[in-house]
Amino acid sequence: MRASSRIHVITREVIMKLSIPAARLAATLLFGAIVSGAGAQTLDAPLVPAVGDTWTFKFHNKGDKREAFLYIHQVKAIDGPSAWIHGESRESNARRPRYVWRHDIARNEGVELFEPDDAAPHGAGKRVVDRTKIDGWLQFPLAVGNKYTVKRAWDSGRGFDELTAQVQAFEKVKVEGGEFDSYRIRYTGFWNQREGGSYSGRTEHVVWYAPAAKTLVKWHYTNRTSNGGPWNDTVTELVKWEPGAAK
């Protein structure tokens, strides 16, 4: 059964009146998670976003000392397996101050990036990024201890990242936008450049995915140059979460 926007009207009182199998299914649809054993959480699928859901993030690259900036994502439409998300970057001199993502709901990730065009369906004009054929950052079901591999070609086409992911914990994480129960996932591996020379270096991502906020609420990314020196050191975190209207 595919979750739809109708899951938002399910209440805890209704769940408590259901049989155990039915209650487990309803809980999955409402919260996106099944509790299996004391303290153990298994998330079978991400929660379906709603029109109007809005996230404000802050990005800071500590590695190159650039000033932190905000960017905002808002769900404008749900169309079958996709959510259409309009983005706005507050970075000074941003290359792309406005943009549109086609968000794959099952992957919980933007997979196609478009230039904005108010006259086009969903406001999506020319496609500038296609990530539909690369591995997703989140691979469901999520459960503490799960491991999986992630290989992602760069948007530039000049190389790829090859990573091993492990779900390390289900824990509370505090960010500017609040405190959230989250899955902490660590990715370790290598970046690999294959155009303009062949180079490789270590890279690491640690992310906190909060089912209630339907997003990664914190993302710490570091990598090293091919000779082992420090390079990027970035932190992205949620600073504001505004749920859309329940349908």
Side-chain angles (χ1 to χ4, degrees):
M1 177 183 296
R2 183 175 66 83
S4 73
S5 59
R6 291 193 298 274
I7 65 176
H8 298 284
V9 301
I10 300 176
T11 66
R12 287 177 171 83
E13 290 75 24
V14 171
I15 291 172
M16 292 179 68
K17 294 177 182 177
L18 298 174
S19 65
I20 290 176
R24 286 172 60 85
L25 175 60
T28 303
L29 293 177
L30 180 57
F31 305 115
I34 294 178
V35 178
S36 53
Q41 293 274 352
T42 298
L43 184 70
D44 287 338
L47 194 65
V48 177
V51 172
D53 282 352
T54 305
W55 303 269
T56 302
F57 299 94
K58 179 168 65 178
F59 174 87
H60 182 208
N61 189 341
K62 297 185 292 184
D64 66 6
K65 310 300 183 183
R66 283 184 292 181
E67 184 178 351
F69 65 88
L70 301 179
Y71 63 94
I72 302 166
H73 285 173
Q74 184 176 67
V75 178
K76 293 293 188 179
I78 304 294
D79 186 2
S82 302
W84 290 89
I85 296 177
H86 287 211
E88 177 187 350
S89 172
R90 300 287 176 84
E91 181 183 16
S92 59
N93 302 314
R95 177 186 174 191
R96 189 171 287 114
R98 294 176 57 237
Y99 49 90
V100 177
W101 277 107
R102 184 179 73 79
H103 176 93
D104 185 315
I105 293 172
R107 285 177 51 158
N108 201 82
E109 180 178 340
V111 293
E112 292 181 286
L113 179 67
F114 299 86
E115 296 282 4
D117 181 349
D118 294 339
H122 302 302
K126 178 184 176 182
R127 187 175 69 178
V128 292
V129 169
D130 181 0
R131 298 178 180 171
T132 56
K133 294 180 174 63
I134 63 177
D135 294 336
W137 285 110
L138 301 177
Q139 296 184 20
F140 296 90
L142 291 179
V144 175
N146 280 10
K147 295 182 179 180
Y148 55 92
T149 58
V150 177
K151 186 173 182 179
R152 294 178 65 91
W154 299 350
D155 294 338
S156 66
R158 299 181 61 191
F160 61 92
D161 292 342
E162 198 157 24
L163 307 164
T164 298
Q166 181 174 14
V167 183
Q168 294 185 315
F170 186 74
E171 63 188 14
K172 290 188 181 295
V173 63
K174 190 171 184 178
V175 295
E176 191 172 333
E179 187 174 61
F180 299 90
D181 291 323
S182 304
Y183 291 88
R184 170 164 45 90
I185 308 167
R186 182 173 181 246
Y187 306 80
T188 56
F190 293 86
W191 59 265
N192 302 277
Q193 181 175 315
R194 292 296 181 261
E195 184 180 308
S198 182
Y199 305 97
S200 182
R202 290 190 176 276
T203 187
E204 176 177 306
H205 306 253
V206 182
V207 307
W208 285 261
Y209 171 70
K214 312 176 191 178
T215 192
L216 301 177
V217 295
K218 187 174 181 180
W219 187 320
H220 185 200
Y221 162 60
T222 57
N223 65 4
R224 292 188 171 272
T225 62
S226 56
N227 63 10
W231 195 1
N232 289 297
D233 185 353
T234 73
V235 176
T236 304
E237 72 172 60
L238 184 70
V239 298
K240 191 175 184 181
W241 154 233
E242 301 169 275
K247 298 282 186 174

